[in-house]
Amino acid sequence: MEKLAALATPENIAAAKAFATALATPANTITALIAMNFAAFAAFGIDKARAERRAWRISESTLLLLALLGGTGGTYAGRALFRHKTRKEPFSSQLHQIAGLQFCAVVFLVVYFW
């Protein structure tokens, strides 16, 4: 624990903030969101194919995590195209809650930074 506290110097904290700021460019953010949406979409296609073969499946928590990390659009597109988990509860409710939370976060950020 002492070693960890020794790392929390003002210089290290400033360096970590600078590094995070350099990575959080709009282009990097957009690229990450596109990749996450593609991963979420692909995960629904893979899970649907595995369900039809009665093979090992991707857990619902993993699918919801992909949505939570920014892949909500890909999740909804995958659900619609593959007709997978469209009526499954509580999965659908949890997905709608994630989408609502993300919508509120975007509205807050737009208002805050406008």
Side-chain angles (χ1 to χ4, degrees):
M1 190 61 102
E2 293 172 13
K3 290 180 182 180
L4 191 59
L7 290 175
T9 63
E11 296 83 18
N12 286 348
I13 293 171
K17 285 181 180 179
F19 181 70
T21 303
L23 288 179
T25 64
N28 288 347
T29 303
I30 291 169
T31 302
L33 287 173
I34 289 170
M36 193 57 64
N37 278 283
F38 178 77
F41 180 82
F44 269 81
I46 292 167
D47 192 47
K48 176 68 173 194
R50 288 179 177 174
E52 290 171 347
R53 292 191 321 254
R54 300 190 188 275
W56 174 82
R57 306 277 303 278
I58 298 171
S59 68
E60 289 184 357
S61 61
T62 301
L63 296 172
L64 288 170
L65 180 63
L66 289 169
L68 182 66
L69 294 176
T72 305
T75 299
Y76 277 111
R79 285 180 67 197
L81 183 68
F82 301 116
R83 295 183 187 165
H84 188 52
K85 297 197 181 289
T86 55
R87 293 178 289 177
K88 178 95 175 173
E89 288 298 335
F91 181 86
S92 290
S93 297
Q94 292 168 339
L95 181 58
H96 296 322
Q97 289 172 357
I98 289 170
L101 178 71
Q102 289 174 342
F103 177 77
C104 291
V106 167
V107 168
F108 172 77
L109 291 172
V110 167
V111 169
Y112 182 76
F113 288 111
W114 192 266

